[in-house]
C-alpha cells in the first residue's frame, strides 16, 4: 500500500498508522511529499511500483493526499487494484476494476460532507464506506488538532488502530 499524506502534514505523522498496518501483514510505503503537498509529488508512486514486484497494489491517502492518490489510481488502473481514502473523496470516476474503501470519522469538522456525498457519483460498485465513531479528521495521523476540526471522543491511537484493522480486512479479506 502506497500512502500519500494530507496537505501541510509531514509524512512521519502517519508513522504509527503505517506501522500498525504493516504489523498485520500489509507492506506500506509512506511517501514524503515535496513541501508536504501531495500535488507536488503526484507521481511519486511510480518509483515504488517500478521498484517492487507485487502482484497487487493499493493507493491510499488522507484528505488532499487521498484526492491525489485517487487521480494516480485512475491514471494507472492497469497497476492499481485498490484505493483507500481517509477523510477524502474521489473527484473523478473510479474504474470498475478498482476496489475502493472510504473511511472517515463521525466527528470530522474538516471534511466537507456535502462534497463528500456528491462524490458518490464517482464511486463504483466495488466501493465500501466505513465510519469511525468518535474519530475526527486529524486522528488518522499524529499532528495535533487541525484548524476547523472537532474534538474526537477517542484517542488518535484508537482511531488509527480501528482504521488499520479496516484496511487490513479490506486488503486481505481477514
Amino acid at each position: 500500500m502506497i500512502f500519500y499524506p494530507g496537505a501541510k502534514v509531514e509524512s512521519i505523522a502517519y508513522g504509527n498508522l503505517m506501522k500498525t498496518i504493516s504489523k498485520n501483514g500489509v507492506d506500506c510505503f509512506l511517501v514524503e511529499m515535496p513541501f508536504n503537498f501531495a500535488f507536488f509529488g503526484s507521481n511519486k508512486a511510480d518509483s515504488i511500483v517500478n521498484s517492487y514486484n507485487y502482484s497487487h497494489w493499493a493507493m491510499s491517502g488522507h484528505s488532499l493526499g487521498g484526492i491525489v492518490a485517487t487521480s494516480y489510481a485512475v491514471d494507472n488502473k492497469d497497476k492499481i487494484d485498490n484505493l483507500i481514502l481517509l477523510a477524502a473523496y474521489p473527484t473523478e470516476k473510479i474504474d470498475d476494476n478498482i476496489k475502493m474503501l472510504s473511511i472517515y470519522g463521525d466527528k470530522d469538522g474538516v471534511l466537507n460532507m456535502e462534497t463528500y456525498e456528491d462524490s458518490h457519483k464517482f464511486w463504483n460498485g466495488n466501493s465500501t464506506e466505513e465510519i469511525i465513531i468518535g474519530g475526527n479528521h486529524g486522528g488518522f495521523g499524529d499532528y495535533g488538532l487541525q484548524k476547523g476540526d472537532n474534538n474526537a471522543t477517542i484517542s488518535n491511537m484508537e482511531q488509527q488502530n480501528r482504521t488499520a484493522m479496516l484496511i487490513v480486512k479490506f486488503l486481505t479479506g481477514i
Side-chain angles (χ1 to χ4, degrees):
M1 182 180 86
I2 301 168
F3 188 86
Y4 284 3
K8 299 194 255 181
V9 179
E10 293 183 34
S11 59
I12 194 66
Y14 302 95
N16 287 330
L17 176 61
M18 296 300 111
K19 185 177 180 180
T20 303
I21 295 168
S22 66
K23 280 183 175 179
N24 285 280
V26 176
D27 292 340
C28 296
F29 298 86
L30 177 55
V31 180
E32 188 174 329
M33 290 296 177
F35 312 108
N36 296 322
F37 273 98
F39 280 131
F40 296 120
S42 60
N43 290 317
K44 279 201 156 206
D46 282 342
S47 62
I48 298 167
V49 171
N50 294 331
S51 296
Y52 295 87
N53 192 24
Y54 290 99
S55 55
H56 298 285
W57 283 100
M59 283 300 300
S60 183
H62 176 232
S63 198
L64 180 64
I67 293 171
V68 177
T70 298
S71 291
Y72 185 88
V74 168
D75 291 345
N76 293 277
K77 61 185 175 214
D78 57 322
K79 299 175 189 172
I80 306 299
D81 19 43
N82 297 287
L83 176 63
I84 300 154
L85 303 177
L86 307 182
Y89 47 83
T91 57
E92 52 195 307
K93 180 72 176 135
I94 304 300
D95 188 86
D96 288 338
N97 294 325
I98 297 175
K99 281 180 30 185
M100 187 182 91
L101 172 62
S102 174
I103 305 172
Y104 68 91
D106 73 332
K107 305 293 184 204
D108 195 314
V110 177
L111 180 63
N112 182 317
M113 289 309 294
E114 186 177 327
T115 305
Y116 177 86
E117 292 297 330
D118 189 50
S119 80
H120 282 75
K121 65 187 175 201
F122 299 125
W123 295 31
N124 62 32
N126 294 321
S127 299
T128 304
E129 178 181 74
E130 297 285 351
I131 302 168
I132 305 288
I133 304 301
N136 66 1
H137 195 82
F140 291 108
D142 292 308
Y143 59 91
L145 187 63
Q146 186 169 336
K147 183 179 178 184
D149 205 0
N150 297 313
N151 289 319
T153 57
I154 59 174
S155 68
N156 283 4
M157 180 174 281
E158 179 64 23
Q159 183 169 340
Q160 292 165 25
N161 284 341
R162 290 182 192 177
T163 301
M165 294 306 103
L166 289 169
I167 291 171
V168 169
K169 181 180 178 185
F170 175 76
L171 291 176
T172 65
I174 54 172

